[in-house]
Amino acid sequence: MPPHLSNHHRDTLRKILGHPASGNVEWREVISLLEAVGTVREEHNGKFKVTVGPETEVLHRPHGKDVDTQVIVDLRRMLTEAGLG
């Protein structure tokens, strides 16, 4: 775990990287973590362009407060490839 992350960010990272994928990862927690480890830019179409290290993903805001399993899988891959796994 990167030492500069807060306990909240570390908990969110554990939820994302844990197996099986946690079903209760909130969007606001994900965005907060991503802002702490990379750059997040909201596009005009409501999508979020996220860059962590050499990895870039475009994420869609979920309809509810929690992100779905596919977003968790995408985040897990991106964060692992960026060296945070």
Side-chain angles (χ1 to χ4, degrees), residues 12 16 25-34 59 67 75:
T12 303
I16 292 169
V25 181
E26 292 186 21
W27 174 250
R28 63 177 182 80
E29 294 172 333
V30 169
I31 291 298
S32 179
L33 169 66
L34 294 173
L59 303 175
V67 297
L75 288 169

Side-chain angles (χ1 to χ4, degrees), residues 12-70:
T12 303
L13 188 57
R14 281 188 202 101
K15 288 180 189 177
I16 292 169
L17 298 176
H19 289 279
S22 178
N24 61 346
V25 181
E26 292 186 21
W27 174 250
R28 63 177 182 80
E29 294 172 333
V30 169
I31 291 298
S32 179
L33 169 66
L34 294 173
E35 288 173 338
V37 297
T39 58
V40 177
R41 192 174 73 220
E42 187 170 4
E43 309 258 316
H44 295 292
N45 57 8
K47 297 177 184 176
F48 290 78
K49 187 173 185 177
V50 178
T51 303
V52 179
E55 300 295 314
T56 299
E57 287 281 334
V58 175
L59 303 175
H60 304 270
R61 180 189 302 267
H63 295 290
K65 68 176 186 169
D66 294 336
V67 297
D68 65 20
T69 305
Q70 185 58 50

